[in-house]
Amino acid sequence: MPRFTIHDLAATIDARAAAGGEASYTVKLLNRGAEHCAKKLGEEAVETVIAAVENDRDHLIAESADLLFHLLVLLKSRDVRFEEVEAALAQRTGTSGLEEKAARKRDT
């Protein structure tokens, strides 16, 4: 089985958004707007946290997949490409998480 990547998922979301149609869950989410997509992402985040706290591995995997899907749909709803998120992550590479977080606090 070929490896399925987050880039594959992003491409699938792009293709479904471009195709339109009422049969697509992706299109239904996008048609309801970014605010709705953000709420769905929040719901999936909570469900992911609950699965982790309950130490339910299979549920955590399933909820993590839902979380990533809904994150990519939200990004699509705001015209943010996943590559832009990757670029932001790449800029942080080489800086410890603690240093990066401290720098954000100084900037605000």
Side-chain angles (χ1 to χ4, degrees), residues 27-70:
V27 171
K28 287 181 181 184
L29 287 170
L30 292 169
N31 285 345
R32 294 194 64 188
E35 294 79 9
H36 178 76
C37 294
K39 288 177 186 175
K40 287 298 295 179
L41 177 65
E43 291 171 14
E44 296 303 334
V46 169
E47 291 171 3
T48 302
V49 168
I50 291 168
V53 169
E54 292 177 345
N55 198 24
D56 184 337
R57 187 176 193 283
D58 291 338
H59 193 209
L60 178 58
I61 291 168
E63 291 301 338
S64 295
D66 291 347
L67 181 63
L68 290 173
F69 168 79
H70 283 89

Side-chain angles (χ1 to χ4, degrees), residues 66-96:
D66 291 347
L67 181 63
L68 290 173
F69 168 79
H70 283 89
L71 172 60
L72 292 178
V73 170
L74 175 61
L75 293 175
K76 178 74 176 171
S77 75
R78 290 294 190 201
D79 293 321
V80 175
R81 294 183 349 266
F82 183 67
E83 290 78 10
E84 294 173 89
V85 175
E86 286 180 311
L89 289 169
Q91 287 179 336
R92 297 177 187 181
T93 301
T95 304
S96 82

